[in-house]
Amino acid sequence: MAACSSSAPEKSDSAAAGEPKTGGTAVYLEQQTYTNLYPPAAGFYPNGGIVNNITDRLVYQDPETLEFEPWIATEWEVNDTATEYTFTIRDGVTFSDGSKLDADAVAKNFDLYGKGNTDKALTISEAINNYDHSEVVDPTTVKFFFSKPSPGFLQATSTINSGLLSPKTLDLDLEGFGAGNGTDIIGSGPFTITDEKIGTELTLTARDDYDWAPPSAEHQGRAYVDAVQFIVTPEDSVRVGSLIAGQADIVRAVEAQDEKQVEDAGLTVYAPQTNGVNNALNLRFGNKLLSDIKVRQALIAGIDREEVINTIYTKNYPLATSTLSKTAKGYVDESATLTYDPTKAEALLDEAGWKVGSDGIREKDGTKLTLVVNEAAPQPRSFEALTLISQQLAKIGVDLQILKADAGTYAKAILDQDQVQIYHSMVGRADLDVIKSQYYSANRNVLQNLNSNTGEIADPQLETLLEAVASEPDPAKRLENDKAVQDYLAEQAYVIPLFEEPQVYSAANWVQGLGFESVARPTFYNVWLDK
Amino acid sequence: MGYIARRLGQAIIVLFIAFTGAFLLLQALPGDALLIKFENPELGLSQEQIAAVRETYGANIPLPVQFWHTFTGFLSGDFGYSVQSGTAVRVLLAEVLPATLLLAGVGFVVAVFVAVSIAFLSTFTRFAWIRGVLRSLPSLFVSVPVFWLGIILIQVFSFRLGLIPVINPSPVQALILPVLTLAVPISAPLAQILTRSIDDISTQPFIAVVTAKGASRSWVLFRNVAKNALLPTLTIAGILFGELIAGAVVTETVFGRAGLGRLTEQAVANQDTPVLMAVVLVAALVFVIVNLIVDLLYPVLDPRLKRKVGANA
């Protein structure tokens, strides 16, 4: 098999062939039904695919360069300590129910996303840190205040988790944002939800009077297609088959093993990167089996990551070289610490006192070196990858078990480092804060640095380094802090990065202009059908 | 009348037991829907935030109070809200139930038609080899996995031959392949039982008498054999209705149809208790009704049963 790790992901916006045509309905096949359209809950891809197209954001983040550009905010100002943000709001923007998108509306959006509303079971947005309050200066000026520096806030205003909704929509509770109420969710975006069949279908219709795309965009005015029809098609083979048979225009979640079939049929595969923390195995060092750095280093040296990628995935899944993806901001190359060397792995385990027992599994003081890793169901081919990794580790005397359980047992087990010592996961967000989201005790805490059972912090230094990323107002210093975290995670052998995770889509050849936001949710604004 | 009243009473007891059993079992499972939804690391919520959400949902209310609340809610037709999506369970059910009932109903009718055709033809046909082929069909049908059959039908009739679209089909087109998928495995046990009963009854003395009186083959089959062979088949048909619902889960997923099966599958995956409670109750209700109808049909088909019932009442 060819070395695939260096090939770049597909460009997200294909160069349009000829003049865009207006009209037609694009049929888009989703793998799962959406659950909720509350923007802070839009991390789930089926939710995000909808929210991204019905809402605008204050700031536009270019998915290629990750730079910030004006959108609904024509300009903005941040104070030196990153505790005050002032936005100037574009004039004349309306939500699809006719209400105005003015400073009041923006303030109401962020008061909800920044503070949540527990009475309505609406949670705080993961992307917004240290939010305090808003202040409407005049109809086109709004200020936000933070209790502590919040340097990630500007990026947060560009994510789909901060999609701007009409003031009336913001009065809904969690139930109101749930399935079946799609047509009540009102944004100012290029599309509006006009029809819904719970669990199976949803229709987005282009807004004729839409006229506030990011000023930098080539395409202004209304979307080209009249409508996008979302159809939930859970079965992989039916999704891919329908596309090849010409019954659908665009599909999401093309499995690695199906990519060849799609390419053989002459169709385009899109694999936009998610620009965040790579798909990785996180070693929970608070557990006594993994508290010795030599054991953790041995696991890294004992896993042939290239074999995993060449066997289970495709060229669209580049080999990871750090905790962060190459295309993410602040990326540092840590590949020197990630070399495959089974001889070294065995030597390290010997040094650490783990001797091979009669059954080939290493033991120390009567304890076997048996580790449990969770199957990450939302991640592509997690079980297959872990199975291969467990075979590789068996060769150096490590017994790796894969946790497959019902949802309740699973949800409890992954919060306990004595049940799950290795946590398989990833997270996409195009901001330096993403690394904090993944590892900080009050966020995802995937290393269980904060022990959920005892409330103790195992490694205070990691906490300090992560806090520094999220609270440093100076951009250059913040970049340094982000690098420091990556270096530290690599030095301590806390993480085994596997690959840079894409979202894989495919589209018929007549589909032009399909684009993706910075974490690979589809953008239909520029799509037109050349048929 | 007494018979019907007693059967109705039994039906209500069955429903209550199903409700209580489902409630207790779902409570006994490790974790709950709130844990699965809000403690999911993907949301990145802190422990205090999760505690506040649990408070909002009333997760700390004592079990008997929760039971009473849910039970009285069900009595008044309020099934609560799905924890996963926040949608009212009543709305979800109203949306999916007609689709599943249509699929299951038409699937059942087709299955009965296929089963009866196989059974009658395999008895009626004079050529031994055709009888042999027909008689081996049920064992073939019963061993076909539903999801496999569904995918093969789609591949052949939709993708290769382009006869029936899977995406945006007309209402009739949307039924053809799923109904076939569902009917094939259901028809198999029906055909087997029916063939077997026809064989048994054909060897009984009264058939020999009727034949000796000069009745034609078809007269004997339809007037004498079929009527008597229906009873055991009907019993099986009642039980098979449960399997029909199970088959619908797979069929609906493969074909991307809305339905009770899809809803159940997602609710199980997320341990979405309110949805599961409602599904259990609906399934139990349908099962009870179908079997009630079967029981009430017995005396109509066999006058001897009518006399016995009368004696008991």
Side-chain angles (χ1 to χ4, degrees):
Chain A
M1 217 170 259
C4 302
S5 56
S6 59
S7 60
E10 304 264 346
K11 286 276 279 180
S12 54
D13 52 337
S14 57
E19 275 300 294
K21 288 178 196 162
T22 302
T25 296
V27 175
Y28 173 74
L29 303 188
E30 244 300 345
Q31 186 184 28
Q32 288 163 288
T33 171
Y34 84 93
T35 53
N36 199 283
L37 295 177
Y38 177 55
F44 183 54
Y45 273 92
N47 297 352
I50 298 167
V51 172
N52 185 37
N53 290 288
I54 63 167
T55 67
D56 297 317
R57 269 76 77 192
L58 277 185
V59 172
Y60 176 71
Q61 184 176 32
D62 186 306
E64 303 285 328
T65 62
L66 304 183
E67 294 302 318
F68 301 111
E69 292 166 11
W71 192 352
I72 295 304
T74 51
E75 51 190 306
W76 54 86
E77 233 172 79
V78 187
N79 72 347
D80 291 342
T81 51
T83 52
E84 285 179 39
Y85 285 72
T86 312
F87 292 90
T88 308
I89 309 300
R90 185 169 174 158
D91 214 7
V93 177
T94 57
F95 293 103
S96 58
D97 62 359
S99 60
K100 276 189 159 167
L101 202 177
D102 53 10
D104 279 316
V106 172
K108 191 169 175 179
N109 271 274
F110 284 94
D111 283 349
L112 178 61
Y113 303 158
K115 291 196 260 193
N117 184 332
T118 37
D119 289 342
K120 294 178 176 174
L122 296 173
T123 54
I124 297 179
S125 168
E126 182 190 22
I128 302 176
N129 288 307
N130 308 324
Y131 187 85
D132 194 76
H133 70 282
S134 62
E135 201 182 291
V136 176
V137 180
D138 61 51
T140 57
T141 314
V142 62
K143 278 184 91 158
F144 296 108
F145 297 85
F146 295 83
S147 56
K148 277 187 254 172
S150 193
F153 182 66
L154 190 66
Q155 198 274 343
T157 65
S158 78
T159 66
I160 51 173
N161 302 98
S162 302
L164 298 168
L165 296 176
S166 89
K168 221 173 114 192
T169 306
L170 295 171
D171 291 335
L172 298 171
D173 55 10
L174 187 71
E175 278 85 36
F177 283 101
N181 305 319
T183 51
D184 297 342
I185 311 302
I186 305 297
S188 62
F191 292 93
T192 51
I193 302 174
T194 48
D195 189 32
E196 178 185 5
K197 294 189 187 112
I198 293 185
T200 50
E201 262 187 67
L202 185 121
T203 305
L204 300 183
T205 304
R207 239 185 108 173
D208 280 328
D209 58 347
Y210 185 79
D211 197 20
W212 38 84
S216 63
E218 225 175 276
H219 172 205
Q220 295 290 330
R222 149 201 153 147
Y224 295 125
V225 287
D226 292 335
V228 181
Q229 190 188 11
F230 281 54
I231 299 180
V232 181
T233 314
E235 176 56 39
D236 296 335
S237 69
V238 176
R239 238 175 15 257
V240 167
S242 305
L243 181 74
I244 294 174
Q247 296 181 18
D249 301 306
I250 307 164
V251 300
R252 185 178 81 84
V254 177
E255 302 293 314
Q257 66 272 25
D258 292 335
E259 279 184 28
K260 195 179 170 307
Q261 194 194 345
V262 173
E263 278 168 351
D264 287 351
L267 303 180
T268 317
V269 170
Y270 300 81
Q273 277 290 316
T274 45
N275 293 318
V277 171
N278 283 325
N279 185 298
L281 301 179
N282 299 288
L283 307 180
R284 293 174 161 176
F285 50 86
N287 181 274
K288 66 179 186 335
L289 294 174
L290 293 178
S291 58
D292 187 340
I293 187 169
K294 286 184 177 149
V295 175
R296 301 196 299 267
Q297 286 168 335
L299 291 175
I300 294 177
I303 296 176
D304 186 351
R305 302 179 306 136
E306 279 189 52
E307 188 193 17
V308 174
I309 286 166
N310 293 340
T311 316
I312 314 281
Y313 301 97
T314 67
K315 64 173 169 33
N316 292 319
Y317 297 72
L319 186 72
T321 47
S322 172
T323 321
L324 290 185
S325 147
K326 259 196 219 82
T327 51
K329 278 190 182 174
Y331 158 83
V332 205
D333 188 350
E334 307 281 359
S335 47
T337 62
L338 297 168
T339 330
Y340 173 56
D341 186 347
T343 324
K344 184 179 147 205
E346 298 210 58
L348 282 163
L349 288 171
D350 287 338
E351 275 175 51
W354 291 93
K355 301 281 176 251
V356 180
S358 53
D359 55 356
I361 300 171
R362 287 176 187 264
E363 302 176 2
K364 184 176 167 182
D365 308 328
T367 312
K368 284 197 186 294
L369 193 47
T370 295
L371 299 164
V372 179
V373 62
N374 64 304
E375 181 202 7
Q379 264 56 67
R381 307 199 83 190
S382 169
F383 190 77
E384 287 89 340
L386 294 173
T387 306
L388 179 57
I389 287 171
S390 89
Q391 287 164 7
Q392 293 174 350
L393 289 178
K395 289 183 200 151
I396 60 164
V398 177
D399 174 30
L400 184 71
Q401 302 286 333
I402 305 168
L403 171 80
K404 262 191 138 176
D406 66 89
T409 310
Y410 182 90
K412 270 182 124 88
I414 57 171
L415 299 175
D416 183 353
Q417 61 209 13
D418 294 328
Q419 289 186 61
V420 173
Q421 291 83 40
I422 304 181
Y423 186 66
H424 186 196
S425 78
M426 62 78 69
V427 53
R429 183 188 163 194
D431 184 71
L432 294 170
D433 266 5
V434 73
I435 203 162
K436 185 205 164 222
S437 288
Q438 183 79 331
Y439 296 109
Y440 191 59
S441 58
N443 298 120
R444 298 182 185 217
N445 191 31
V446 294
L447 284 168
Q448 281 283 308
N449 191 18
L450 170 80
N451 185 323
S452 296
N453 296 328
T454 62
E456 282 164 23
I457 299 274
D459 183 348
Q461 197 184 339
L462 178 61
E463 288 284 285
T464 315
L465 287 171
L466 290 167
E467 279 161 17
V469 174
S471 55
E472 172 56 60
D474 178 32
K477 279 193 196 145
R478 197 167 162 235
L479 217 54
E480 285 306 310
N481 293 346
D482 211 61
K483 289 178 176 166
V485 176
Q486 286 173 76
D487 287 340
Y488 187 72
L489 290 170
E491 273 163 31
Q492 297 295 320
Y494 283 165
V495 180
I496 309 175
L498 295 177
F499 57 83
E500 311 200 328
E501 192 163 321
Q503 274 289 308
V504 185
Y505 299 79
S506 183
N509 291 329
W510 57 74
V511 174
Q512 305 290 337
L514 179 61
F516 305 93
E517 53 86 71
S518 60
V519 194
R521 270 99 188 178
T523 302
F524 299 115
Y525 178 57
N526 293 317
V527 167
W528 58 279
L529 304 174
D530 192 13
K531 64 172 179 183
Chain B
M1 270 323 277
Y3 174 69
I4 295 176
R6 205 172 62 239
R7 293 289 289 120
L8 278 176
Q10 282 170 353
I12 289 167
I13 293 170
V14 167
L15 289 178
F16 181 73
I17 293 174
F19 176 83
T20 314
F23 183 85
L24 292 177
L25 284 173
L26 286 168
Q27 296 298 328
L29 281 177
D32 58 38
L34 290 175
L35 177 86
I36 293 165
K37 182 168 183 189
F38 292 104
E39 290 216 27
N40 182 346
E42 308 269 305
L43 273 179
L45 298 177
S46 70
Q47 287 302 316
E48 296 82 62
Q49 288 164 353
I50 292 168
V53 170
R54 292 190 77 88
E55 183 91 10
T56 312
Y57 272 90
N60 308 324
I61 295 169
L63 207 58
V65 181
Q66 279 189 41
F67 180 81
W68 182 246
H69 182 79
T70 317
F71 182 65
T72 48
F74 267 67
L75 285 184
S76 63
D78 175 12
F79 302 142
Y81 293 89
S82 155
V83 178
Q84 192 60 27
S85 66
T87 313
V89 175
R90 201 169 352 122
V91 174
L92 290 174
L93 282 182
E95 189 94 1
V96 300
L97 213 50
T100 299
L101 288 179
L102 183 67
L103 175 66
V106 178
F108 189 72
V109 170
V110 172
V112 168
F113 180 75
V114 171
V116 169
S117 309
I118 290 176
F120 279 17
L121 284 176
S122 69
T123 329
F124 200 54
T125 309
R126 284 170 198 277
F127 303 103
W129 68 270
I130 296 186
R131 281 206 300 275
V133 169
L134 285 170
R135 279 175 186 236
S136 61
L137 273 183
S139 355
L140 179 71
F141 282 2
V142 85
S143 52
V144 170
V146 178
F147 72 91
W148 181 84
L149 181 64
I151 289 174
I152 293 295
L153 287 176
I154 291 178
Q155 288 289 346
V156 173
F157 292 101
S158 185
F159 298 162
R160 297 234 181 269
L161 302 177
L163 295 175
I164 303 167
V166 182
I167 306 302
N168 286 325
S170 71
V172 175
Q173 286 173 332
L175 269 178
I176 298 173
L177 296 181
V179 159
L180 276 181
T181 309
L182 199 56
V184 163
I186 298 292
S187 67
L190 280 180
Q192 256 164 347
I193 299 282
L194 196 57
T195 315
R196 184 75 177 276
S197 311
I198 291 175
D199 287 351
D200 281 354
I201 289 164
S202 305
T203 57
Q204 294 207 355
F206 81 93
I207 297 294
V209 174
V210 177
T211 317
K213 281 184 178 169
S216 71
R217 262 180 88 89
S218 54
W219 173 276
V220 173
L221 184 63
F222 288 107
R223 288 299 167 94
N224 303 103
V225 179
K227 206 178 163 194
N228 288 292
L230 269 180
L231 220 50
T233 317
L234 198 61
T235 314
I236 290 294
I239 295 168
L240 277 178
F241 208 83
E243 243 171 76
L244 210 56
I245 301 287
V249 175
V250 180
T251 311
E252 285 166 359
T253 306
V254 170
F255 288 90
R257 281 178 66 90
L260 197 63
R262 278 275 292 290
L263 185 69
T264 312
E265 182 242 317
Q266 282 159 16
V268 168
N270 298 308
Q271 222 165 310
D272 202 337
T273 315
V275 177
L276 288 175
M277 288 299 297
V279 167
V280 167
L281 218 67
V282 166
L285 188 68
V286 171
F287 203 74
V288 162
I289 291 175
V290 167
N291 281 285
L292 191 64
I293 293 172
V294 169
D295 284 359
L296 295 178
L297 276 178
Y298 278 172
V300 178
L301 283 172
D302 189 339
R304 289 171 300 176
L305 288 172
K306 201 182 276 169
R307 279 202 302 277
K308 256 185 242 160
V309 169
N312 283 348

